[in-house]
Amino acid sequence: MLKRLMQYPAVRALFAQCLACVFVGVLVYLAAQLSSWRPPIMAAGLLQGLVAAILGRYLGLSRWWLAINLLFVPALLLSRGAELPSWLFLAGFALLLLLNWNSVVERVPLYLSGASTRQALIRLLQQQPAGFRFIDLGCGPGGALLALAKAFPHAQFVGVETAPLSFALAWLRACRQPNCQIRFQNLWRTDLSSFDVVYCFLSPAPMAPIWNKAQEQMRTGSLLISNSFEVAGQPAGQVIEVGDLRGSRLLIWQMQR
């Protein structure tokens, strides 16, 4: 049961927070017992955040989760004397949930394709015919998809997303881009047969089912592109090193029947 729960990034982040609290609590207790020194509460909070971020990295959390782990307890300590309304914390939690709904439901956290990845995709898509069709499985707020749609005005771009706030942001941003469509649609219910290029930036968890779906639905010669995450037992036909700080790679498979 614990192993299954630890597949969810939110659970791993909570686990890291709890371990860090225990570790710092033990250090503060020992300091009180062995000396007269009492660490300032904010210093203890910053240490707890640092330990939680390190543990989160060890547990395989993405960088934005590490930032949350680092700042969570210090932010709570800073807010103690600010007399903030209680609804503000509920609103913050709701905002995170609406942006990262897929992290809880499908073990797919919100990953954003950076500028270097977009440029690598543009160079790759220049090899496609002018009117190619491209789909982003889990497009998030749509930044990468819109950049590609603007770069290739004669191609057609589709993004699917089920995190409510991410979908709303992407849909609003795409309203003025005629060759870009955003669908509130589960990626597992999306038919891939009409697309020349299928792109995803998900997590290790769904990659095997994604591969099976692509094998069943994608046409011969079409491309499956995964940002950074491999398919076990299926080496990519081409790997492009993006060269960004997080070591992103584009793994590319050309579908064969």
Side-chain angles (χ1 to χ4, degrees):
M1 181 64 177
L2 179 60
K3 184 177 180 180
R4 182 178 179 183
L5 287 174
M6 290 295 285
Q7 293 176 337
Y8 296 93
V11 174
R12 279 179 279 159
L14 178 61
F15 184 66
Q17 287 287 340
C18 292
L19 283 182
C21 285
V22 171
F23 176 77
V24 173
V26 170
L27 287 183
V28 171
Y29 174 79
L30 291 175
Q33 294 299 313
L34 300 176
S35 71
S36 60
W37 180 70
R38 300 292 186 271
I41 188 169
M42 182 53 70
L46 290 171
L47 177 61
Q48 189 277 344
L50 179 61
V51 173
I54 293 171
L55 289 173
R57 183 64 174 172
Y58 176 77
L59 293 171
L61 292 174
S62 58
R63 284 182 173 85
W64 67 273
W65 272 110
L66 303 186
I68 292 175
N69 273 10
L70 176 64
L71 299 175
F72 181 72
V73 168
L76 286 180
L77 294 175
L78 285 173
S79 67
R80 287 188 314 156
E83 298 184 358
L84 299 175
S86 58
W87 61 262
L88 189 61
F89 297 98
L90 179 60
F93 174 78
L95 180 64
L96 287 174
L97 183 62
L98 290 173
L99 279 171
N100 297 281
W101 180 254
N102 295 327
S103 176
V104 179
V105 178
E106 296 180 353
R107 292 178 291 164
V108 179
L110 175 62
Y111 289 119
L112 302 179
S113 300
S116 298
T117 301
R118 299 175 191 181
Q119 291 303 314
L121 285 170
I122 287 173
R123 290 191 293 270
L124 180 64
L125 294 177
Q126 287 172 346
Q127 305 171 24
Q128 292 291 314
F132 68 89
R133 288 178 54 82
F134 178 103
I135 186 168
D136 186 346
L137 301 179
C139 65
L145 190 67
L146 284 166
L148 296 176
K150 292 175 182 177
F152 298 95
H154 300 295
Q156 295 297 316
F157 292 83
V158 174
V160 297
E161 181 59 60
T162 54
L165 186 54
S166 294
F167 162 76
L169 291 172
W171 185 86
L172 288 171
R173 296 173 73 183
C175 283
R176 296 184 179 181
Q177 190 64 36
N179 65 330
C180 186
Q181 179 187 15
I182 308 297
R183 302 174 183 170
F184 189 75
Q185 187 175 62
N186 189 299
L187 63 89
W188 304 114
R189 297 181 181 178
T190 302
D191 185 5
L192 306 180
S193 61
S194 64
F195 295 97
D196 303 294
V197 183
V198 175
Y199 172 74
C200 58
F201 190 12
L202 301 172
S203 76
M207 289 311 299
I210 284 288
W211 173 256
N212 294 334
K213 181 177 176 66
Q215 288 285 94
E216 293 174 2
Q217 298 181 355
M218 293 179 66
R219 299 192 305 263
T220 299
S222 57
L223 300 181
L224 173 65
I225 304 174
S226 171
N227 189 334
S228 301
F229 299 114
E230 301 177 352
V231 177
Q234 300 293 338
Q238 181 181 2
V239 178
I240 298 176
E241 299 290 343
V242 172
D244 59 4
L245 291 177
R246 61 188 178 191
S248 300
R249 300 182 300 158
L250 297 180
L251 296 96
I252 305 162
W253 295 265
Q254 188 171 44
M255 293 296 105
Q256 304 293 334
R257 292 285 186 176

